[in-house]
């Protein structure tokens, strides 16, 4: 009677192991990396399945979303009922090191191709400094199309953009910048000198559009601008910007007060009728290049 030995995982062909690894989520891949040097190399060489990574840095915890997989890293035991559905919770006194190590593995993958990278920094300069050290270890630059920053400081924008791949980065989305002194303006100037900024095609701003001098915006093709309210002076500034730009294609403004500017908007439509098309209703203004 013949006997056959069970086929072990380590004896599978390399390409089969690679396909299995591609189907694993981050937690499973991290576990495989600890098995052996060969598996660690195979995991690191596989094409990343991540299209979106969200990072929320605070002084008390780190929250990450890998595609639709939520992971919270914390030093205290948490009540999972207060977490989003299907959130993995990692409680450890050294949770920051664990979180940054997991992020490092994901971001260092040379085959990573992200659509979106979100970063929120909640008044946590120390945590941001540690994250900056992680970015400094990356090679090559992160391949991402849209970068969304919610941090409140132009310094953080300056800290992150150099690690994103120019030309691949199409949309820069900035949610709030709160410091407007000379020091902050100098940081904005430094941001505007980066290739990542110069080669991006779309700028999305949330309550901070007037933070950027017009000379730093002239190269963008598309704008999405969210403001608390819109004045005639604000719209006139947009007119000046778009009329002098050779790259301008479209702009969407969402703000309160647009319905109160109907007379101005009508004259504005007539003024640019030969070059632009404008539609507006309550709360939304859309300007498109013909």
């Amino acid at each position: 009677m013949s006997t056959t030995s069970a086929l072990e995982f380590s004896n599978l062909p390399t390409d089969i192991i690679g396909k299995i690894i591609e189907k694993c989520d981050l937690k499973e891949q991290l576990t495989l990396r600890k098995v052996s040097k060969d598996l660690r190399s195979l995991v690191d060489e596989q094409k990343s399945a991540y299209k979106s990574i969200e990072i929320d840095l605070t002084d008390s915890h780190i929250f990450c979303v890998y595609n639709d997989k939520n992971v919270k890293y914390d030093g205290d035991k948490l009540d999972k009922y207060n977490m989003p559905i299907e959130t993995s919770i990692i409680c450890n006194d050294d949770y920051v090191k664990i979180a940054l190590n997991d992020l490092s593995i994901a971001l260092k993958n040379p085959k990573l191709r992200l659509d979106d990278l979100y970063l929120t920094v909640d008044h946590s300069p120390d945590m941001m400094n540690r994250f900056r050290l992680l970015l400094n270890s990356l090679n090559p630059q992160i391949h991402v199309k849209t970068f969304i920053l919610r941090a409140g400081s132009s310094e953080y924008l300056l800290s992150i953009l150099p690690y994103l791949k120019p030309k691949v980065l199409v949309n820069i989305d900035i949610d709030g910048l709160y410091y407007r002194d000379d020091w902050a303006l100098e940081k904005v100037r430094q941001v505007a000198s980066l290739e990542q900024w110069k080669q991006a095609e779309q700028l999305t701003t949330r309550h901070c559009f007037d933070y950027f001098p017009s000379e730093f915006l002239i190269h963008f093709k598309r704008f999405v601008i969210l403001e608390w309210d819109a004045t005639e002076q604000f719209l006139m500034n947009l007119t000046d910007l778009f009329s002098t730009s050779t790259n301008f294609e479209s702009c969407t403004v969402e703000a309160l007060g647009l319905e109160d500017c109907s007379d101005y908007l009508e004259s504005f439509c007539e003024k640019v009728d030969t070059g632009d098309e404008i539609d507006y209703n309550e709360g939304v203004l859309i300007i498109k290049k013909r």
Side-chain angles (χ1 to χ4, degrees):
M1 182 177 179
S2 62
T3 60
T4 57
S5 59
L7 184 62
E8 295 184 0
F9 181 79
S10 59
N11 293 329
L12 291 173
T14 301
D15 58 334
I16 298 299
I17 295 177
K19 291 184 181 297
I20 294 173
I21 293 174
E22 285 184 2
K23 300 295 183 181
C24 295
D25 60 24
L26 177 66
K27 185 176 181 180
E28 292 166 338
Q29 289 185 3
L30 292 175
T31 301
L32 285 174
R33 290 183 85 257
K34 298 176 182 178
V35 174
S36 68
K37 290 183 178 180
D38 289 340
L39 271 178
R40 181 172 62 188
S41 297
L42 283 172
V43 170
D44 293 345
E45 290 171 0
Q46 294 308 306
K47 181 178 180 180
S48 173
Y50 301 130
K51 290 299 182 182
S52 174
I53 295 179
E54 182 174 346
I55 307 164
D56 188 351
L57 303 176
T58 76
D59 286 332
S60 61
H61 67 269
I62 296 176
F63 187 83
C64 297
V65 182
Y66 300 91
N67 289 345
D68 57 349
K69 304 293 184 181
N70 303 315
V71 184
K72 185 166 186 178
Y73 305 84
D74 202 302
D76 298 322
K77 189 173 182 179
L78 300 172
D79 182 358
K80 196 167 184 177
Y81 289 105
N82 294 325
M83 297 292 103
I85 297 175
E86 297 183 357
T87 297
S88 297
I89 299 176
I90 297 176
C91 295
N92 191 290
D93 291 339
D94 210 6
Y95 73 92
V96 176
K97 182 178 179 180
I98 296 172
L100 295 181
N101 182 65
D102 290 355
L103 282 169
S104 176
I105 293 169
L107 295 175
K108 280 184 176 180
N109 189 323
K111 297 182 180 179
L112 181 68
R113 297 293 183 269
L114 289 175
D115 290 330
D116 304 296
L117 175 63
Y118 300 77
L119 176 63
T120 301
V121 184
D122 186 15
H123 306 291
S124 307
D126 179 63
M127 194 71 74
M128 183 61 200
N129 286 335
R130 297 184 67 170
F131 183 66
R132 188 184 292 113
L133 291 175
L134 181 157
L135 294 175
N136 197 43
S137 69
L138 297 181
N139 186 25
Q141 293 164 306
I142 300 172
H143 190 290
V144 59
K145 296 178 182 178
T146 295
F147 173 58
I148 301 100
L149 175 68
R150 298 181 177 93
S153 172
S154 54
E155 180 182 16
Y156 294 153
L157 183 61
L158 180 61
S159 297
I160 304 299
L161 282 186
Y163 300 101
L164 310 182
K165 193 173 182 62
K167 294 186 178 180
V168 174
L169 181 64
V170 175
N171 180 26
I172 299 174
D173 186 326
I174 306 169
D175 188 352
L177 293 175
Y178 310 127
Y179 306 103
R180 298 171 182 261
D181 53 17
D182 291 341
W183 176 86
L185 182 57
E186 176 57 30
K187 296 298 180 183
V188 170
R189 289 194 181 97
Q190 293 177 37
V191 166
S193 69
L194 297 173
E195 287 302 310
Q196 289 83 352
W197 180 270
K198 292 178 180 179
Q199 297 188 39
E201 297 182 358
Q202 177 171 317
L203 177 65
T204 301
T205 62
R206 304 169 192 272
H207 317 300
C208 60
F209 183 79
D210 61 348
Y211 194 96
F212 299 95
S214 59
E215 61 265 30
F216 300 155
L217 306 174
I218 201 73
H219 69 283
F220 285 104
K221 295 181 179 180
R222 298 176 298 278
F223 297 84
V224 177
I225 304 170
L226 287 76
E227 293 292 337
W228 297 118
D229 54 39
T231 63
E232 291 190 5
Q233 184 60 52
F234 170 76
L235 295 173
M236 289 175 64
N237 291 340
L238 289 185
T239 307
D240 293 340
L241 172 63
F242 301 150
S243 63
T244 56
S245 171
T246 58
N247 295 324
F248 173 70
E249 292 179 358
S250 67
C251 174
T252 298
V253 180
E254 294 186 17
L256 298 175
L258 290 175
E259 66 277 12
D260 298 327
C261 299
S262 58
D263 292 341
Y264 173 75
L265 291 176
E266 288 172 2
S267 63
F268 180 59
C269 290
E270 293 173 1
K271 180 178 180 180
V272 298
D273 185 60
T274 58
D276 296 321
E277 175 183 338
I278 297 183
D279 298 319
Y280 64 90
N281 53 40
E282 185 174 351
V284 179
L285 167 66
I286 301 173
I287 308 171
K288 293 183 179 179
K289 193 76 172 181
R290 283 181 177 172

